[in-house]
Amino acid sequence: MLNEFKDFIAKGNVMDLAVGIIIGAAFTAIVSSLVGDLINPIIGLILGGIDFTSMYVVLSGDVAPGVGLEAARESGAAIFAYGAFLTACINFLIIAFVVFMLVKAVNKIKAATETPEEAPAEEAGPSELDVLIEIRDNLKTGGATAAE
């Protein structure tokens, strides 16, 4: 059983998966920083500085007007935090688009590095047209061949 486990771990698929997960975790930090530190501030600037994350509706409980989302949650009130959900959806769309563009670029680079398969070399014999012309000429001359 131990040998079977060693064989399973040593297979390329398991190792590829492990590498993919590690790189994916590192990539997540990069994409999260891209979205949070670069793209979201630009979107906030375009939308006039609106921060969707702090938008909520109090379902029950007492919350002072203008209190931030975290303070409202700490007060124990039932909060419908639609802004946080909307921000998560926007972040997902941005991350999905960035990943799409990266995959597209990698596929383009990969296609450029692949060498196209060479076409098989044609045989060095006469073409069909050449054979037909030779037959026609032979019929005109009474069947004599060029070799005679």
Side-chain angles (χ1 to χ4, degrees), residues 99-114:
V99 169
F100 167 75
M101 295 304 288
L102 288 172
V103 168
K104 188 174 177 179
V106 167
N107 287 342
K108 188 175 182 179
I109 292 169
K110 187 177 178 183
T113 59
E114 291 178 351

Side-chain angles (χ1 to χ4, degrees), residues 134 137-139 141-148:
E134 185 179 344
D137 293 344
N138 286 339
L139 290 173
T141 60
T145 61
E148 293 178 2

